Amino acid sequence: RLIDEFVNTIEILNLDEFACEEFGKEYARLKKIGKMPNEIDLMIAAVVKANDLVLITKDKKDFKNINVKIEVW
């Protein structure tokens, strides 16, 4: 019940067409400069960027070459 209540209070963002477009742009840019991150991290960042949000992370180095707004908590 607690999990259902929690899930109903949040919005789940998807890897939609806008996020895929951001992923593709950033993937091409990073590949060109030889700074390829983990693809899962890039997918997360693409969803964040496509939704004009700030990525909250404990490990900033995973996203250091990706063009996305980041806050370390």
Side-chain angles (χ1 to χ4, degrees):
R1 187 179 76 103
L2 287 172
I3 292 171
D4 288 337
E5 288 175 11
F6 172 72
V7 169
N8 288 328
T9 66
I10 61 174
E11 181 181 354
I12 298 172
L13 303 174
N14 295 309
L15 187 65
D16 61 14
E17 67 181 283
F18 302 108
C20 288
E21 185 176 323
E22 291 296 336
F23 177 90
K25 289 178 191 175
E26 198 64 6
Y27 183 93
R29 184 186 73 78
L30 292 167
K31 185 173 184 178
K32 186 176 182 178
I33 63 172
K35 302 283 185 179
M36 290 306 298
N38 179 300
E39 288 184 6
I40 298 298
D41 292 336
L42 187 53
M43 285 181 202
I44 293 167
V47 171
V48 169
K49 191 170 182 180
N51 288 278
D52 196 30
L53 300 171
V54 177
L55 192 148
I56 306 297
T57 183
K58 191 167 106 174
D59 199 355
K60 186 176 180 177
K61 70 177 174 60
D62 291 339
F63 302 94
K64 72 178 181 178
N65 295 307
I66 302 172
N67 288 331
V68 67
K69 295 178 247 175
I70 297 176
E71 283 188 27
V72 178
W73 286 12

